[in-house]
Amino acid sequence: MNGSSIIFYLVAALTLVCAVLSVSTRHIFRAAIYLLFTLIGIAGIYFWLDYQFIAAVQIVVYVGGIVVLIIFSIFLTQQAGEKLAKQKIGRKIFSALAVFCAFALTMLQIYQHDFVETSAPHIGNTVKDIGGQMLSTGENGYALPFEVVSMLLLAAMIGCIVIALRSKPEPK
Amino acid sequence: MWSFSNISDNIHDWLSANFNATWTLIIEMVIAGTLVIGLFAMLGLILVIMERKVSAWMQIRLGPNRVGPKGMLQSMADTIKLMVKEGMTPNGADKIMFNLAPFVAMIVAMLLLAPIAFAENFQLWDLNIGVLYITAVSSIMVISILMAGWASNNKYSLLGAMRSGAQIVSYELSAGLSILAIIVLTGSLQVSEIIESQRNGWWLFKGHIPAIIAFVIFIIAVTAETNRAPFDLAEAESELTAGFHTEYSGMKFALFFLAEYVNVFIVCGLGATIFLGGWMPLHIGNWTGFNNAMDYIPSSLWFFGKTFFLIFVIMWFRWSFPRLRIDQLLNLEWKYLLPISMVNLLLVTLMAIMGWHF
Amino acid sequence: MSVGKYIKDVWGAVRSLGRGMKRTLYYFTHHKEIITQQYPDNRETLNLPERFKGEVVMPHDEKNEHRCTGCQACELACPNGTIKVVTRFDMIDGKKKKAIDKLVYHLELCTMCNLCIEACPSDAIKMAQTFEHSVFDRNKLTKILNNPGSKIMDGVE
């Protein structure tokens, strides 16, 4: 075992432990923080894989956006220092079983699938390559999905503005 | 000639000659970690005394003048005081989160140091997405503040944390957009390439007026992002006692305090890198004689000079302006900075396409 | 909001902020003119502002006479019971005349609000500029303002 794999196992262990903690803790805020550590762990694995752009986007989107959103909704709705109600034992067993089944299914699929090495040219993982690919209209280009997603975001933004816009009182 | 890159190369050569690759890497990591921690301690000591002296002189006072020559050892005395104080944990607090929050703040500050180029060829990690990495990782900073605010189980802390969250999340946008304005011109996110592109002049001067607008917006936005006055609503003393760190004492408080100053250093270093050329000496176009003369000043001095100048500007803001109200703060961002920086980004893009910049 | 007003707003903000920063930069570069005082060092040459108020005193002249008639206006004016006037009746020419026995002043309660001085009809008390009031015993803060054996000045009614 070399240094690289030691780092991988450490990061993976952090991710898994935090993931388990985030569903097993009874403090809702701690659950959010453990979720945050899980997401950071996944970003760490991306860094380990040398996919730096995806790692940074993972942090920007999930940590800077989604976890902050979750924490804000906890702040606005929950009382500090309160624990969630204890769940029934049957429910616990059922959810554990469900998780185990999903895990087993995924692992089964991964082990049964035989991955073939592609002969397609390797696309670099720098920002420049990703950006070029994102806006290219040629082979494997992502211009159309990119534009569709931006339309979706634009629609969402306009929706937000319409909801947030305070209607002016009728002039009398 | 004596320079940081020579020293690091020599150390690397010596280690490679005496150890195998893994051990070389481990020893280099240990050295880098020690240096980072040492830099943190030095920055804490220097920036605290600098802040106090600057504030005193701006308010026609003398500032600390008892400990050491001209009061220069005051921050040392403060450190000793903070270290021997008891680190209290309130009874109703969420103990794990309460004790974890200052360390998260500190670790984030440490991570942010990685892509900063301190001198020519002297950088911990010249990763491909350098600037994006800094903006991404600095968004973890807000989590530590939210953690501290919630875990203290105190209404002041919670209010301070929420204000700070809203503030950092919104000012990240205009900081990002103003960085993007320069990224459009450089065409790369890598710190070393950004600096290299300023060999014939800094972007602040090469980019005409849009670069200056971007620079002003960047400075305002990072002042808000680091929770410093006039945007220090998260710790507004008169309203929230101390905001998110009301319940903290001793070394845990000191870590928050240190993280704030290190963050100021990092964002100023980033600003210096992007707008003022990082370690690149002042070069003007093709004036070879002038450029060569400027090269005699070591690159590390250029970097630290620019960074400390920007830190001084941020301190200058702090001691000139009154604190904004929360609605004024959000108005400033969403109604002024964000539209202006978006229009500015369009202008810069036009400029880059037409090749109007130098 | 029109675009013109928006731009004017931004320009005005930038200009006024610049003016503020120019002022602080002026102070920063001219740090020889210091307004704070190096207190324990310049104790002899201390230069207190005119309106600084330290404690209430009752001036006496060289014949050990004061101007207090014992009217208790100060006691009534005081918002937090700092002054207590203890009166007695002197027999002067067979007539009873009101005079003070003791004017008790609790320094530890005083907020230096100056209301007693303004209420006094005969200018018997005034504010002194002393400020080193710390003592080891709280009782020492309760002071009797009139000197022992003092009496009212002639002609003060």
Side-chain angles (χ1 to χ4, degrees):
Chain A
M1 193 188 273
N2 58 2
S4 177
S5 52
I6 290 174
I7 290 173
F8 171 76
Y9 284 117
L10 279 179
V11 175
L14 169 88
T15 313
L16 287 178
V17 167
C18 286
V20 170
L21 278 175
S22 95
V23 289
S24 61
T25 182
R26 279 173 59 209
H27 289 89
I28 189 159
F29 184 74
R30 280 192 201 172
I33 295 296
Y34 291 134
L35 176 66
L36 164 91
F37 287 140
T38 311
L39 295 168
I40 291 178
I42 292 170
I45 288 179
Y46 286 139
F47 271 122
W48 181 81
L49 288 169
D50 224 9
Y51 275 89
Q52 294 160 355
F53 181 72
I54 298 176
V57 169
Q58 165 92 8
I59 293 177
V60 169
V61 172
Y62 285 99
V63 176
I66 288 178
V67 172
V68 172
L69 205 66
I70 290 173
I71 289 177
F72 259 78
S73 44
I74 291 172
F75 275 15
L76 293 173
T77 54
Q78 301 284 317
Q79 282 287 312
E82 269 182 20
K83 281 186 176 178
L84 297 178
K86 238 184 183 138
Q87 293 297 331
K88 279 185 219 120
I89 190 83
R91 217 182 257 188
K92 277 184 187 171
I93 292 172
F94 175 75
S95 43
L97 262 178
V99 168
F100 178 76
C101 288
F103 179 72
L105 199 67
T106 319
M107 291 311 280
L108 211 67
Q109 287 296 317
I110 288 175
Y111 276 112
Q112 280 180 353
H113 188 271
D114 59 334
F115 292 94
V116 282
E117 218 172 302
T118 58
S119 53
H122 181 68
I123 296 168
N125 57 7
T126 63
V127 189
K128 217 165 221 161
D129 296 331
I130 292 171
Q133 203 66 28
M134 197 78 95
L135 289 177
S136 100
T137 49
E139 182 99 5
N140 293 329
Y142 270 84
L144 184 65
F146 184 79
E147 290 303 321
V148 170
V149 170
S150 21
M151 282 304 287
L152 184 71
L153 286 178
L154 185 68
M157 215 150 80
I158 292 172
C160 286
I161 292 170
V162 170
I163 290 171
L165 203 63
R166 204 181 299 142
S167 54
K168 282 204 177 111
E170 297 279 317
K172 281 170 192 166
Chain B
M1 206 175 98
W2 187 92
S3 75
F4 277 122
S5 61
N6 283 356
I7 294 174
S8 62
D9 286 348
N10 286 338
I11 290 174
H12 179 77
D13 291 343
W14 185 81
L15 285 175
S16 315
N18 289 290
F19 299 96
N20 63 18
T22 315
W23 276 107
T24 309
L25 190 69
I26 289 172
I27 292 173
E28 282 176 355
M29 280 162 95
V30 169
I31 292 174
T34 320
L35 283 181
V36 165
I37 292 171
L39 179 73
F40 273 27
M42 283 306 293
L43 277 178
L45 294 179
I46 293 171
L47 290 181
V48 169
I49 192 76
M50 179 174 161
E51 171 104 50
R52 294 182 69 169
K53 276 288 181 192
V54 168
S55 70
W57 286 353
M58 284 193 175
Q59 297 171 342
I60 336 183
R61 296 184 286 116
L62 277 177
N65 59 351
R66 301 278 149 165
V67 188
K70 301 232 169 215
M72 285 304 158
L73 297 180
Q74 180 69 47
S75 45
M76 207 81 98
D78 288 348
T79 314
I80 293 170
K81 182 202 78 174
L82 283 170
M83 280 198 304
V84 298
K85 269 170 97 171
E86 185 186 0
M88 305 267 277
T89 307
N91 217 4
D94 189 339
K95 300 221 165 42
I96 301 175
M97 293 298 148
F98 185 84
N99 291 316
L100 199 61
F103 293 98
V104 171
M106 211 57 217
I107 290 167
V108 170
M110 280 189 179
L111 285 176
L112 285 175
L113 270 184
I116 301 271
F118 293 98
E120 198 167 358
N121 300 324
F122 189 72
Q123 194 176 1
L124 285 178
W125 187 19
D126 187 18
L127 76 174
N128 178 258
I129 48 158
V131 175
L132 180 64
Y133 173 87
I134 292 182
T135 45
V137 173
S138 68
S139 66
I140 307 180
M141 196 66 211
V142 63
I143 301 283
S144 75
I145 292 175
L146 293 175
M147 265 165 92
W150 172 269
S152 302
N153 199 1
N154 172 323
K155 54 182 178 292
Y156 293 131
S157 307
L158 191 63
L159 264 177
M162 289 186 73
R163 281 182 180 190
S164 155
Q167 178 181 334
I168 294 180
V169 167
S170 34
Y171 275 81
E172 243 168 33
L173 290 174
S174 47
L177 281 176
S178 53
I179 292 174
L180 215 57
I182 301 300
I183 300 302
V184 167
L185 294 173
T186 57
S188 171
L189 288 165
Q190 199 166 349
V191 171
S192 59
E193 278 187 37
I194 290 173
I195 294 172
E196 199 52 44
S197 70
Q198 308 184 57
R199 190 164 281 286
N200 58 349
W202 303 344
W203 280 119
L204 187 62
F205 305 129
K206 285 202 297 179
H208 306 296
I209 291 172
I212 294 171
I213 295 175
F215 181 64
V216 171
I217 289 175
F218 176 80
I219 291 290
I220 295 174
V222 297
T223 313
E225 256 195 86
T226 47
N227 278 331
R228 287 182 61 82
F231 307 103
D232 62 343
L233 294 122
E235 45 204 279
E237 290 91 348
S238 45
E239 305 153 28
L240 299 177
T241 55
F244 63 89
H245 56 62
T246 305
E247 297 285 357
Y248 282 87
S249 62
M251 217 47 214
K252 281 180 253 170
F253 165 74
L255 283 183
F256 271 122
F257 200 58
L258 191 59
E260 180 189 322
Y261 279 107
V262 172
N263 278 327
V264 170
F265 175 81
I266 287 164
V267 293
C268 289
L270 181 68
T273 304
I274 293 173
F275 293 96
L276 302 176
W279 50 260
M280 189 65 76
L282 176 62
H283 284 175
I284 299 174
N286 298 324
W287 299 11
T288 324
F290 179 78
N291 294 350
N292 287 343
M294 281 296 163
D295 286 343
Y296 278 108
I297 302 175
S299 55
S300 51
L301 274 190
W302 277 106
F303 175 77
F304 282 103
K306 288 167 192 173
T307 307
F308 273 90
F309 170 73
L310 289 184
I311 291 173
F312 169 73
V313 170
I314 283 183
M315 286 180 180
W316 190 3
F317 286 163
R318 173 164 185 173
W319 298 105
S320 300
F321 303 139
R323 183 182 303 128
L324 271 72
R325 246 183 8 238
I326 184 79
D327 59 322
Q328 293 169 333
L329 177 97
L330 294 177
N331 270 353
L332 174 70
E333 162 66 16
W334 293 100
K335 290 188 181 166
Y336 292 93
L337 294 187
L338 191 64
I340 291 174
S341 52
M342 277 180 163
V343 171
N344 193 44
L345 184 62
L346 275 183
L347 274 179
V348 172
T349 317
L350 185 72
M351 209 167 76
I353 292 171
M354 308 297 272
W356 285 339
H357 60 91
F358 297 116
Chain C
M1 189 161 44
S2 72
V3 178
K5 191 175 171 297
Y6 184 85
I7 292 172
K8 225 165 87 183
D9 267 9
V10 173
W11 175 242
V14 169
R15 232 185 37 184
S16 69
L17 291 180
R19 206 157 57 211
M21 284 175 74
K22 213 172 108 187
R23 175 74 350 203
T24 41
L25 187 67
Y26 173 81
Y27 287 143
F28 182 74
T29 46
H30 293 71
H31 51 83
K32 286 286 169 278
E33 40 177 286
I34 298 296
I35 53 160
T36 47
Q37 301 196 17
Q38 303 302 301
Y39 160 58
D41 296 344
N42 70 344
R43 204 159 160 189
E44 269 67 54
T45 59
L46 207 57
N47 181 20
L48 288 171
E50 194 188 326
R51 289 169 68 185
F52 173 75
K53 302 195 285 284
E55 71 172 319
V56 177
V57 292
M58 182 181 284
H60 289 67
D61 66 3
E62 63 276 2
K63 288 187 282 178
N64 202 11
E65 286 174 340
H66 55 75
R67 296 174 64 84
C68 182
T69 58
C71 69
Q72 294 177 321
C74 49
E75 186 178 344
L76 290 171
C78 185
N80 48 358
T82 303
I83 295 178
K84 185 88 193 148
V85 183
V86 182
T87 53
R88 61 160 192 254
F89 289 99
D90 285 350
M91 298 299 279
I92 297 172
D93 306 342
K95 274 192 294 181
K96 271 211 242 175
K97 193 165 180 244
K98 201 176 176 186
I100 55 166
D101 186 25
K102 278 187 281 188
L103 199 150
V104 185
Y105 169 59
H106 297 275
L107 179 58
E108 75 272 28
L109 295 177
C110 186
T111 60
M112 319 293 165
C113 67
N114 212 27
L115 286 174
C116 51
I117 280 94
E118 281 173 13
C120 186
S122 56
D123 291 336
I125 46 178
K126 65 169 190 156
M127 277 289 180
Q129 293 209 316
T130 53
F131 59 91
E132 289 164 328
H133 291 312
S134 51
V135 283
F136 284 104
D137 184 2
R138 190 162 56 165
N139 291 331
K140 286 184 183 159
L141 291 174
T142 304
K143 297 182 177 180
I144 296 169
L145 292 188
N146 53 329
N147 289 353
S150 63
K151 62 183 203 320
I152 189 163
M153 216 178 275
D154 285 338
V156 178
E157 287 300 322

